[in-house]
Amino acid sequence: MSPDDDLRDELAAAAREMQDDSPQEAMQRAVMLATEIIPGCAAAGVCVVHRGDRIDTHATSNDALKEIDVLQHELDEGPCLDALREDHTVRSDDLSTDDRWPSWGPRVVERLGIRSSVSYRLYLTDQDLGALNLYGKDASAFTDEDVHDGLALAAHVSVALAAAQKVQQLETALGGRTVIAQATGILMERFDLDPDRAFSVLSRMSQQNNVKLRVLAQQIVTTRQLPTT
Protein backbone atom coordinates (compact mmCIF):
# COMPACT_ATOMS: atom_id res chain seq x y z
CA MET A 1 0.00 0.00 0.00
CA SER A 2 1.38 3.42 -0.99
CA PRO A 3 1.69 6.42 1.39
CA ASP A 4 -1.14 8.10 -0.55
CA ASP A 5 -3.38 5.10 0.09
CA ASP A 6 -2.49 5.20 3.78
CA LEU A 7 -3.37 8.89 3.94
CA ARG A 8 -6.71 8.36 2.19
CA ASP A 9 -7.53 5.57 4.63
CA GLU A 10 -6.68 7.81 7.60
CA LEU A 11 -8.81 10.64 6.25
CA ALA A 12 -11.74 8.31 5.54
CA ALA A 13 -11.55 6.83 9.04
CA ALA A 14 -11.32 10.29 10.61
CA ALA A 15 -14.28 11.52 8.55
CA ARG A 16 -16.43 8.63 9.80
CA GLU A 17 -15.46 9.36 13.39
CA MET A 18 -16.12 13.09 12.97
CA GLN A 19 -19.71 12.36 11.92
CA ASP A 20 -20.42 11.16 15.46
CA ASP A 21 -18.61 14.08 17.15
CA SER A 22 -20.01 17.30 18.54
CA PRO A 23 -18.85 20.42 16.63
CA GLN A 24 -16.12 21.04 19.22
CA GLU A 25 -14.94 17.42 19.13
CA ALA A 26 -14.86 17.42 15.32
CA MET A 27 -12.67 20.53 15.25
CA GLN A 28 -10.32 19.23 17.92
CA ARG A 29 -9.96 15.89 16.15
CA ALA A 30 -9.13 17.72 12.90
CA VAL A 31 -6.32 19.86 14.32
CA MET A 32 -4.68 16.91 16.03
CA LEU A 33 -4.96 14.85 12.85
CA ALA A 34 -3.35 17.64 10.81
CA THR A 35 -0.21 17.57 12.95
CA GLU A 36 -0.04 13.77 12.62
CA ILE A 37 -0.54 13.26 8.88
CA ILE A 38 0.94 16.43 7.30
CA PRO A 39 4.75 16.38 7.64
CA GLY A 40 5.31 20.12 7.59
CA CYS A 41 2.56 20.90 10.13
CA ALA A 42 3.91 21.70 13.60
CA ALA A 43 0.62 23.14 14.87
CA ALA A 44 -2.96 23.64 13.69
CA GLY A 45 -6.11 25.48 14.70
CA VAL A 46 -9.70 26.12 13.66
CA CYS A 47 -11.37 29.53 13.73
CA VAL A 48 -15.16 29.75 13.49
CA VAL A 49 -17.07 32.73 12.15
CA HIS A 50 -20.28 33.78 13.93
CA ARG A 51 -23.06 36.20 13.16
CA GLY A 52 -21.75 39.73 12.90
CA ASP A 53 -18.39 38.47 11.54
CA ARG A 54 -17.04 37.70 15.02
CA ILE A 55 -14.29 35.09 14.73
CA ASP A 56 -13.26 32.84 17.63
CA THR A 57 -10.55 30.20 18.05
CA HIS A 58 -12.43 26.97 18.74
CA ALA A 59 -9.74 24.30 18.57
CA THR A 60 -5.94 24.26 18.66
CA SER A 61 -3.18 21.68 18.87
CA ASN A 62 -1.24 24.23 20.92
CA ASP A 63 -2.69 26.94 23.18
CA ALA A 64 -0.04 29.38 21.91
CA LEU A 65 -1.96 29.53 18.62
CA LYS A 66 -4.64 31.61 20.31
CA GLU A 67 -2.15 34.48 20.35
CA ILE A 68 -1.86 34.16 16.57
CA ASP A 69 -5.58 34.67 16.14
CA VAL A 70 -5.75 37.48 18.68
CA LEU A 71 -3.07 39.34 16.72
CA GLN A 72 -4.95 38.81 13.45
CA HIS A 73 -8.07 40.31 14.98
CA GLU A 74 -6.20 43.23 16.56
CA LEU A 75 -4.23 44.09 13.41
CA ASP A 76 -7.01 43.11 10.98
CA GLU A 77 -4.56 41.16 8.86
CA GLY A 78 -3.43 37.56 8.51
CA PRO A 79 -3.96 34.37 6.49
CA CYS A 80 -7.04 33.18 8.38
CA LEU A 81 -8.85 36.45 7.69
CA ASP A 82 -7.81 36.38 4.03
CA ALA A 83 -9.03 32.79 3.67
CA LEU A 84 -12.41 33.80 5.07
CA ARG A 85 -12.74 37.03 3.12
CA GLU A 86 -11.08 36.39 -0.23
CA ASP A 87 -9.46 33.06 -1.11
CA HIS A 88 -10.34 29.49 -0.25
CA THR A 89 -6.67 28.61 0.36
CA VAL A 90 -3.98 31.03 1.54
CA ARG A 91 -0.34 29.90 1.70
CA SER A 92 2.81 31.62 2.91
CA ASP A 93 6.33 30.19 2.70
CA ASP A 94 7.91 32.89 4.87
CA LEU A 95 5.79 34.98 7.23
CA SER A 96 8.74 37.21 8.10
CA THR A 97 8.87 38.68 4.59
CA ASP A 98 5.29 38.21 3.31
CA ASP A 99 4.14 41.71 2.33
CA ARG A 100 0.45 40.75 2.65
CA TRP A 101 0.75 40.94 6.45
CA PRO A 102 3.60 43.38 7.22
CA SER A 103 2.69 43.73 10.90
CA TRP A 104 1.25 40.34 11.77
CA GLY A 105 3.84 38.10 10.08
CA PRO A 106 7.05 39.38 11.73
CA ARG A 107 5.38 39.39 15.16
CA VAL A 108 4.33 35.76 14.81
CA VAL A 109 7.82 34.75 13.74
CA GLU A 110 9.41 36.63 16.63
CA ARG A 111 6.98 35.56 19.36
CA LEU A 112 6.17 31.99 18.36
CA GLY A 113 8.88 30.87 15.96
CA ILE A 114 6.37 30.06 13.21
CA ARG A 115 7.48 30.89 9.66
CA SER A 116 5.05 29.08 7.32
CA SER A 117 1.27 28.80 7.15
CA VAL A 118 -1.59 27.45 5.09
CA SER A 119 -5.20 28.46 5.77
CA TYR A 120 -8.27 26.81 4.24
CA ARG A 121 -11.76 28.25 4.30
CA LEU A 122 -14.21 25.74 5.74
CA TYR A 123 -17.48 25.98 3.87
CA LEU A 124 -20.50 24.07 2.69
CA THR A 125 -22.17 25.43 -0.49
CA ASP A 126 -22.38 29.19 0.13
CA GLN A 127 -22.21 29.07 3.94
CA ASP A 128 -18.86 30.06 5.44
CA LEU A 129 -18.11 28.19 8.66
CA GLY A 130 -14.55 29.19 9.48
CA ALA A 131 -10.97 28.31 8.62
CA LEU A 132 -8.52 25.46 9.21
CA ASN A 133 -5.04 26.90 9.79
CA LEU A 134 -1.79 24.94 9.55
CA TYR A 135 1.54 26.32 10.79
CA GLY A 136 5.16 25.24 10.28
CA LYS A 137 8.30 26.25 12.13
CA ASP A 138 10.55 26.43 9.07
CA ALA A 139 10.35 28.57 5.93
CA SER A 140 8.71 26.66 3.06
CA ALA A 141 7.62 23.98 5.53
CA PHE A 142 4.69 22.88 3.35
CA THR A 143 5.18 21.12 0.03
CA ASP A 144 2.57 21.22 -2.72
CA GLU A 145 1.57 17.71 -1.63
CA ASP A 146 1.14 18.89 1.97
CA VAL A 147 -1.15 21.69 0.79
CA HIS A 148 -3.18 19.21 -1.26
CA ASP A 149 -3.49 16.83 1.72
CA GLY A 150 -4.57 19.72 3.94
CA LEU A 151 -7.24 20.63 1.42
CA ALA A 152 -8.62 17.08 1.57
CA LEU A 153 -8.70 17.29 5.38
CA ALA A 154 -10.44 20.68 5.25
CA ALA A 155 -13.13 19.24 2.98
CA HIS A 156 -13.83 16.46 5.49
CA VAL A 157 -13.90 18.96 8.35
CA SER A 158 -16.37 21.20 6.48
CA VAL A 159 -18.82 18.35 6.00
CA ALA A 160 -18.42 17.01 9.54
CA LEU A 161 -18.71 20.45 11.14
CA ALA A 162 -21.80 21.37 9.13
CA ALA A 163 -23.44 18.03 9.98
CA ALA A 164 -22.59 18.38 13.67
CA GLN A 165 -24.01 21.91 13.76
CA LYS A 166 -27.25 20.72 12.14
CA VAL A 167 -27.59 17.97 14.75
CA GLN A 168 -26.96 20.49 17.52
CA GLN A 169 -29.59 22.86 16.09
CA LEU A 170 -32.09 20.00 15.82
CA GLU A 171 -31.45 18.96 19.41
CA THR A 172 -31.99 22.55 20.54
CA ALA A 173 -35.23 22.80 18.56
CA LEU A 174 -36.52 19.50 19.94
CA GLY A 175 -35.56 20.55 23.45
CA GLY A 176 -37.55 23.76 22.99
CA ARG A 177 -40.61 21.86 21.81
CA THR A 178 -40.40 19.52 24.79
CA VAL A 179 -40.29 22.29 27.39
CA ILE A 180 -43.17 24.14 25.68
CA ALA A 181 -45.25 20.95 25.82
CA GLN A 182 -44.42 20.57 29.51
CA ALA A 183 -45.44 24.17 30.28
CA THR A 184 -48.66 23.69 28.32
CA GLY A 185 -49.37 20.59 30.39
CA ILE A 186 -48.92 22.57 33.62
CA LEU A 187 -51.46 25.17 32.44
CA MET A 188 -53.90 22.44 31.40
CA GLU A 189 -53.74 20.83 34.84
CA ARG A 190 -53.81 24.03 36.87
CA PHE A 191 -56.65 25.75 35.02
CA ASP A 192 -58.49 22.73 33.58
CA LEU A 193 -57.86 23.80 29.99
CA ASP A 194 -57.80 21.80 26.78
CA PRO A 195 -54.44 21.69 24.90
CA ASP A 196 -55.29 24.39 22.33
CA ARG A 197 -56.57 26.79 24.98
CA ALA A 198 -53.56 26.19 27.23
CA PHE A 199 -51.14 26.88 24.37
CA SER A 200 -53.05 30.08 23.51
CA VAL A 201 -52.72 31.25 27.11
CA LEU A 202 -49.00 30.47 27.07
CA SER A 203 -48.54 32.41 23.81
CA ARG A 204 -50.45 35.40 25.19
CA MET A 205 -48.31 35.46 28.35
CA SER A 206 -45.21 35.37 26.15
CA GLN A 207 -46.39 38.42 24.23
CA GLN A 208 -47.54 40.34 27.30
CA ASN A 209 -44.24 39.78 29.11
CA ASN A 210 -42.14 40.27 25.96
CA VAL A 211 -40.39 36.95 26.57
CA LYS A 212 -39.68 34.27 23.98
CA LEU A 213 -42.07 31.35 24.20
CA ARG A 214 -39.37 28.77 24.91
CA VAL A 215 -37.80 30.94 27.63
CA LEU A 216 -41.17 31.52 29.31
CA ALA A 217 -41.98 27.81 29.13
CA GLN A 218 -38.65 26.95 30.77
CA GLN A 219 -39.37 29.42 33.59
CA ILE A 220 -42.79 27.88 34.23
CA VAL A 221 -41.44 24.32 34.18
CA THR A 222 -38.53 25.21 36.49
CA THR A 223 -40.38 27.39 39.02
CA ARG A 224 -43.94 26.04 38.67
CA GLN A 225 -44.95 29.71 38.89
CA LEU A 226 -46.66 31.95 36.32
CA PRO A 227 -45.12 35.33 35.50
CA THR A 228 -46.87 38.51 36.59
CA THR A 229 -47.89 40.82 33.74
Side-chain angles (χ1 to χ4, degrees):
M1 182 177 291
S2 70
D4 287 344
D5 290 333
D6 289 338
L7 177 60
R8 283 194 291 268
D9 288 344
E10 287 187 69
L11 286 174
R16 288 192 294 270
E17 292 172 349
M18 286 180 194
Q19 296 298 326
D20 296 325
D21 287 342
S22 69
Q24 182 62 40
E25 290 169 340
M27 288 183 283
Q28 193 62 46
R29 188 188 297 274
V31 298
M32 299 311 298
L33 184 63
T35 61
E36 293 171 3
I37 68 174
I38 299 177
C41 183
V46 174
C47 294
V48 172
V49 63
H50 302 278
R51 291 180 180 177
D53 293 331
R54 179 173 61 87
I55 301 173
D56 289 334
T57 305
H58 273 231
T60 63
S61 63
N62 185 329
D63 284 343
L65 294 188
K66 294 180 180 179
E67 184 178 351
I68 289 178
D69 295 327
V70 169
L71 279 174
Q72 289 192 81
H73 302 162
E74 289 179 352
L75 300 171
D76 196 32
E77 65 176 52
C80 176
L81 296 179
D82 284 0
L84 287 169
R85 294 170 177 172
E86 301 172 10
D87 300 314
H88 286 200
T89 302
V90 177
R91 175 181 179 179
S92 177
D93 289 328
D94 192 343
L95 296 174
S96 66
T97 59
D98 199 316
D99 58 11
R100 288 174 294 181
W101 317 301
S103 298
W104 177 84
R107 291 193 192 185
V108 168
V109 174
E110 180 181 358
R111 296 186 188 183
L112 301 173
I114 289 173
R115 298 185 69 91
S116 302
S117 71
V118 186
S119 295
Y120 306 90
R121 187 165 65 183
L122 301 177
Y123 65 98
L124 189 64
T125 62
D126 61 348
Q127 181 185 10
D128 287 347
L129 301 176
L132 172 65
N133 306 298
L134 312 182
Y135 300 101
K137 290 186 175 298
D138 300 321
S140 302
F142 298 102
T143 65
D144 291 343
E145 185 176 356
D146 290 339
V147 175
H148 178 75
D149 292 342
L151 185 60
L153 176 59
H156 284 302
V157 176
S158 289
V159 174
L161 183 55
Q165 288 178 335
K166 287 180 180 178
V167 169
Q168 191 174 61
Q169 290 167 358
L170 178 60
E171 289 175 345
T172 299
L174 291 176
R177 292 180 184 178
T178 298
V179 75
I180 290 171
Q182 291 172 341
T184 300
I186 291 173
L187 294 178
M188 290 170 60
E189 180 181 4
R190 184 169 301 181
F191 299 108
D192 191 24
L193 302 173
D194 62 42
D196 290 341
R197 181 62 176 165
F199 182 76
S200 295
V201 171
L202 185 64
S203 298
R204 186 166 65 251
M205 285 192 295
S206 171
Q207 294 173 358
Q208 290 174 340
N209 288 276
N210 195 27
V211 177
K212 290 184 178 180
L213 188 63
R214 180 177 58 82
V215 174
L216 175 63
Q218 185 64 64
Q219 292 173 353
I220 293 174
V221 170
T222 302
T223 66
R224 289 298 194 272
Q225 300 293 324
L226 302 182
T228 58
T229 58

